Amino acid sequence: MRTRLRLALLATFVIGLVLSGLGSVVAKSPEQRDQINAADRVAQRFEADVDDYVTSAAEKIKSKHDADQDGYPALLKVVQAQIADAPRLRPGRTTAYGREHSNAFKDADNHRASALAPLKDLETYLRTQAIPNSKFIAAGKKLVALRPGTLLGDEPVVNGDPLRKRVLPAYEKARDRMKDQEAPKGAELLRLDLMTYANDIISMTKDGAKKIDEQKAFYFQLGDRPVELFKRLAAMETAIQVQVTQQVEIVAAAQ
């Protein structure tokens, strides 16, 4: 009987402790609630400030892109500046207790990250793809834009020196510039074709100079290769323009 009584008293004591503990967790004093509410208000104002800022930033980014749709380095600077200057959550007139127990305050940084995500996606694409890939395209265009006849001019070619002094250096320089560019993902074959084209013209120029020295007939035979290569480069350039425009529109529509 005594054992049962002791167990009953012990159970009552334990339950009392548990309920007391729950009460201390759930129940908050008016002062604590005020601290949480203060943190909530700071978080709400911060989120509103972030939304207003991103709206303004999006307008600046779109305006810059509309003014120069191929000016990726300048656009990148604007995007990076807008990301760097975005508002950051500050404690303000809050307490550590209020910040710790305010769900709104704890979620505020997530709201900021979500609001800035389209800007960061655009920044990443410009920095890692649009700009380096555009350099590859520019190098390729300079190569295929070369024309031996233009380089030689209107003067009669009576020996191989004009080919060696005017045509050969121009193509070698263009080839070296192309060689310095990494092939964008999916453009490895295009890079190979551009390098092959450059090497073929260089070999053709050397052989032509030798033939002219030997008083033999020689004509540059480029065929449609430069035109076809240019079309492939132009298609790649258009794809970048479309992607950048789409991402700018996503930024503009995010708010």
Side-chain angles (χ1 to χ4, degrees):
M1 184 69 178
R2 290 181 179 178
T3 301
R4 291 180 181 177
L5 180 59
R6 288 174 183 169
L7 290 174
L9 290 173
L10 179 60
T12 302
F13 177 72
V14 170
I15 292 172
L17 286 177
V18 171
L19 292 176
S20 176
L22 288 174
S24 65
V25 171
V26 175
K28 294 180 174 61
S29 68
E31 181 182 358
Q32 289 173 328
R33 287 196 295 271
D34 288 344
Q35 293 177 38
I36 295 172
N37 291 337
D40 286 346
R41 289 192 295 271
V42 168
Q44 290 163 2
R45 286 195 298 269
F46 170 74
E47 291 185 0
D49 289 344
V50 168
D51 291 343
D52 290 343
Y53 178 86
V54 171
T55 298
S56 175
E59 292 174 355
K60 294 176 183 177
I61 291 169
K62 190 173 188 308
S63 176
K64 184 66 177 178
H65 178 252
D66 290 346
D68 183 7
Q69 296 194 0
D70 295 326
Y72 303 138
L75 180 61
L76 176 62
K77 288 183 179 180
V78 172
V79 176
Q80 289 177 331
Q82 297 306 306
I83 293 173
D85 293 341
R88 295 186 179 277
L89 183 60
R90 307 296 182 188
R93 294 184 176 181
T94 62
T95 64
Y97 179 89
R99 295 191 297 273
E100 182 180 349
H101 291 81
S102 167
N103 291 330
F105 196 93
K106 288 187 286 187
D107 290 341
D109 277 331
N110 291 333
H111 180 86
R112 180 183 187 273
S114 177
L116 291 177
L119 280 74
K120 291 187 176 181
D121 289 344
L122 174 59
E123 190 273 342
T124 299
Y125 181 75
L126 289 170
R127 176 171 46 81
T128 64
Q129 295 188 56
I131 292 175
N133 292 1
S134 294
K135 292 179 180 178
F136 171 87
I137 293 169
K141 280 187 170 183
K142 287 180 179 179
L143 169 61
V144 299
L146 291 174
R147 293 292 184 272
T150 303
L151 294 169
L152 289 171
D154 297 329
E155 296 180 10
V157 178
V158 296
N159 57 50
D161 286 346
L163 275 71
R164 297 187 186 95
K165 294 179 180 179
R166 301 177 194 171
V167 179
L168 189 59
Y171 275 96
E172 287 178 335
K173 182 178 180 180
R175 179 191 60 183
D176 292 343
R177 185 187 298 115
M178 193 73 245
K179 189 185 298 184
D180 290 338
Q181 304 300 319
E182 291 188 12
K185 185 177 180 180
E188 294 82 4
L189 180 58
L190 175 56
R191 183 182 187 279
L192 176 62
D193 289 345
L194 286 164
M195 291 299 298
T196 300
Y197 171 74
N199 288 327
D200 287 349
I201 300 301
I202 289 171
S203 296
M204 189 185 302
T205 302
K206 291 178 179 179
D207 291 342
K210 183 178 179 181
K211 286 183 178 180
I212 294 173
D213 285 341
E214 296 172 352
Q215 303 299 309
K216 295 179 180 179
F218 169 75
Y219 301 95
F220 281 99
Q221 297 180 353
L222 307 183
D224 60 357
R225 290 173 71 187
V227 174
E228 292 302 318
L229 288 169
F230 182 87
K231 288 180 180 179
R232 291 164 67 184
L233 289 165
M236 185 177 174
E237 185 175 44
T238 299
I240 294 174
Q241 292 171 344
V242 170
Q243 182 66 21
V244 171
T245 299
Q246 287 178 345
Q247 294 212 18
V248 169
E249 293 297 334
I250 290 173
V251 169
Q255 297 300 317

